[in-house]
Amino acid sequence: MQNEAESSTPSGFIRQMIARDIASGKHGGRVHTRFPPEPNGYLHIGHAKSICLNFSLAEEYGGLCNLRFDDTNPLREDQDFVDSIKENIRWLGFRWHGEVRYSSSYFEQLYEFARQLIRKDRAYVCALSPDQAREYRGALTAPGVDSPWRERDPEESLDLFARMRQGEFADGELSLRAKIDMAAPNMNLRDPILYRIRHAAHYQTGADWCMYPTYDYTHCISDALENITHSLCTLEFEDHRPLYDWILQQIDRDSLRAASELGDAAAPWVPPEQTEFAKLRISYTMLGKRFLRALVEEGGVAGWDDPRMPTLAGMRRRGYTPASIRNFCEAVGVARSESLVDIAMLEHAVREDLDRNAPRAMCVLRPLKVVLRNFDEGRRDMLPIPCHPKRGELGRRKVPLGREICIEREDFAVAPPPGFKRLVAGGEVRLRGAYVIRCEEVFRDAAGEITELHCSVDFDTLGKRPEGRKVKGVIHWVSLAAAEKVTLRLYDRLFVEENPAPKNIGEVMAGLNPDSLEQIEGCLLEPAALTAEAGDHFQFERVGYFHRDREAESGTPVFNRTISLRDTWGRGSG
Ligand code: ATP
Ligand code: MG
């Protein structure tokens, strides 16, 4: 047993760090995080990890969490992405602090700070072409070479910078670069570009600008302007941290504080501190917007919200619940080194939530007609069957039973394999929530295919064991007269490889599992599952968890299989 003190110790290195910072009074004891997506794609489960981390930490420590779009690239970004990202975050159950922030709304301030850097001779306007600049940059093993424009007089740079803004130059003709160190072992410090000319409209600022600040220059200043205390990001930004720190050190502290949201209230002013954590990677899954976009564009899937996609939009449509995704992210935890998380762990989290919360219903995938011989023609029973086997509070639904029903084809066998507990000729089985029936006669068509069974009902078995014999099998069924026709979509892993690491879109397409989608038409569902009060998550007994898809054009309801019933997580490990 853990004692009180131990169990309340924050777990994880980020939590420990924040707890230390609060205790030492750094940042005046404040905790302010942010989620900073670039609106150039839809969110995936990797982003969910970052969202859960940032929002949960703020919640846990009584702090705040911003949503800020880091939107510095006019060519790739647009409002649709902004809208879907906001929608996804709300769906996950998080609320950001105040208004949505946009880095683009700091463009004027960023421009002023850039002028300050030029005046201090910490930045210069460079006329190397992009190709030349790449050459001058050197390599990991060789130092770079100073640009011939590096010692340009600050007054001249100021003038050129202003004229860049006015649109006097073409794309790539000039750039603004930080003056740091062309021999720095960290390539990010070799006079990185702060501004580049791009005659392109921006979805937020329209035609106001024809040059744009780089991501690195913008990101750290945006965090500072929002008085972020803990800037959490993934490991690939570790090498950028020295640049972020450099930029924030060069800008005059008082002007930075005065421009920040808290202004003087931010005193003592401490710049945001970046901490890196490992990206989430999941087996049989590929994350990374670039390839996901290509997958959509090449038609490898039906769209960003295809239920096979690891996007939040796809998972939502598939039937993953916000709680299951949050629980999964919590269970994965944060670490400093990357590892591949077993997809079974995610599936386990989904099952766990749905097992507890999804009402049960019966749906027959491949129907076989059964006539109940001793059940009167016009008779219809309405059987009250519990919506959940363990949660009486979820009530009962009324399931109609008539003379003609159908069962799953595979629940009947003429030559049963050993251990078969379902229906056989002359044998008995229980209809879930109803009576025990006995198979009296099997009908076939000319080709020998079984078309129909005739069974008798033991009316004495409703809610009771049959007398003097054991009936082991229980199968699902639906009444033919009342059943609703639906289409089911069953999904399998999108990728064949356990650890897909495609280098190009060709490899992405070649790695797809050809059997990732199976569509079954003409399935028969009990009618109560289509009523509004039934909701849209179900366990179809013995078949899996399903989620009702948005209205199909054909008018036939479609259900996506969220996940099968069998849990493979933790097998063998106890
Ligand atoms: P991608 O690699 O898919 O292109 P990105 O990092 O370019 O993603 P951004 O919009 O820049 O996407 O990311 C927003 C935030 O989400 C960043 O802080 C980033 O570190 C984080 N993030 C992205 N992918 C993952 C992941 N797989 N696991 C955890 N956090 C992630
Ligand atoms: Mg990115």
Side-chain angles (χ1 to χ4, degrees), residues 14-33:
I14 293 181
R15 285 192 170 93
Q16 286 167 16
M17 171 188 72
I18 292 181
R20 270 198 312 273
D21 289 350
I22 292 176
S24 74
K26 198 198 254 186
H27 308 287
R30 289 185 308 116
V31 174
H32 201 152
T33 57

Side-chain angles (χ1 to χ4, degrees), residues 283-286 295 300-301 308 492-516:
S283 60
Y284 301 100
T285 307
M286 183 190 67
L295 197 53
V301 291
R308 290 166 294 180
D492 199 350
R493 287 164 186 172
L494 188 53
F495 290 92
V496 181
E497 292 273 335
E498 182 180 7
N499 190 2
K503 287 188 269 309
N504 52 52
I505 178 61
E507 290 185 15
V508 174
M509 297 297 285
L512 291 180
N513 172 7
D515 302 319
S516 61

Side-chain angles (χ1 to χ4, degrees), residues 94 109 173 194 359 384 390 403 432 446 453 466 494 569:
F94 296 112
Q109 184 63 61
E173 208 177 330
L194 304 180
K390 288 177 238 147
R403 179 179 165 85
R432 165 80 79 208
L453 307 177
L494 188 53
W569 175 243

Side-chain angles (χ1 to χ4, degrees), residues 413-429:
V414 180
F420 189 81
K421 292 206 196 83
R422 294 163 273 167
L423 192 59
V424 297
E428 284 186 303
V429 79

